[in-house]
Amino acid sequence: MSKTNVDIYTLEDLDKLRSAPKLDKKQSKILFNELSLIIQKSDWITIGVMSPSLKKGLNAVRRIEKKFKLNEMKCIKLPSIDGPIFLKANQKSGEIHARIEFGLGEGILIGCQNYDNSLPSRTIGPFPLDFFDEK
């Protein structure tokens, strides 16, 4: 990762990025607080992880589960070889699926979903893979 991205002030600033930026502590705190409010208003979330390895991707999901006190999701379909992955975790179904995928950026995407179809779903990110680490 490069130096801290000084142009990130709100969640919308992440929308234009293909890979997660490096964030300083102040940026991380502001973005986390904004994200937490949106997650609290959602009925469930989906988590998309673009990671250089399955282990790092699963670790990111486990930290999110812990941070937001979510039930641990079960791994349903995982690649049998090492490589860059795209991982999708769905809190509603409780399932995690991952596949090898080359050419992706790196980071975490959070999809905020609602049972009420009149409320728009929203995908937010990418966040750095360590964004939800205990600090």
Side-chain angles (χ1 to χ4, degrees), residues 6-117:
V6 294
D7 296 331
I8 305 297
Y9 302 105
T10 67
L11 294 175
E12 286 78 17
D13 294 331
L14 298 172
D15 292 345
K16 61 186 178 268
L17 303 176
R18 178 174 159 80
S19 254
K22 183 168 176 57
L23 302 170
D24 64 28
K25 287 182 181 182
K26 182 179 179 185
Q27 288 170 309
S28 292
K29 184 176 181 177
I30 290 168
L31 295 176
F32 180 79
N33 289 339
E34 191 178 349
L35 176 65
S36 293
L37 291 173
I38 296 169
I39 288 176
Q40 288 171 14
K41 293 178 185 176
S42 301
D43 292 316
W44 80 92
I45 63 169
T46 56
I47 304 165
V49 182
M50 303 168 291
S51 173
S53 71
L54 179 61
K55 182 178 180 180
K56 286 184 178 184
L58 285 174
N59 285 341
V61 170
R62 298 302 181 219
R63 289 189 301 270
I64 293 167
E65 290 169 335
K66 184 176 179 181
K67 184 71 94 175
F68 292 103
K69 297 175 176 58
L70 305 176
N71 291 331
E72 185 172 300
M73 294 177 259
K74 292 179 178 51
C75 295
I76 302 299
K77 186 175 181 187
L78 302 177
S80 58
I81 59 172
D82 289 332
I85 59 107
F86 180 75
L87 180 151
K88 182 82 170 197
N90 185 317
Q91 182 193 10
K92 183 178 176 186
S93 69
E95 297 180 352
I96 296 173
H97 298 264
R99 66 180 182 267
I100 297 289
E101 190 153 334
F102 294 91
L104 295 176
E106 185 175 296
I108 301 168
L109 302 168
I110 304 288
C112 298
Q113 315 295 327
N114 294 288
Y115 291 114
D116 181 348
N117 290 334

Side-chain angles (χ1 to χ4, degrees), residues 119-135:
L119 298 172
S121 62
R122 180 171 179 196
T123 300
I124 307 163
F127 298 96
L129 291 176
D130 65 354
F131 186 78
F132 297 96
D133 288 4
E134 292 297 322
K135 294 175 175 125

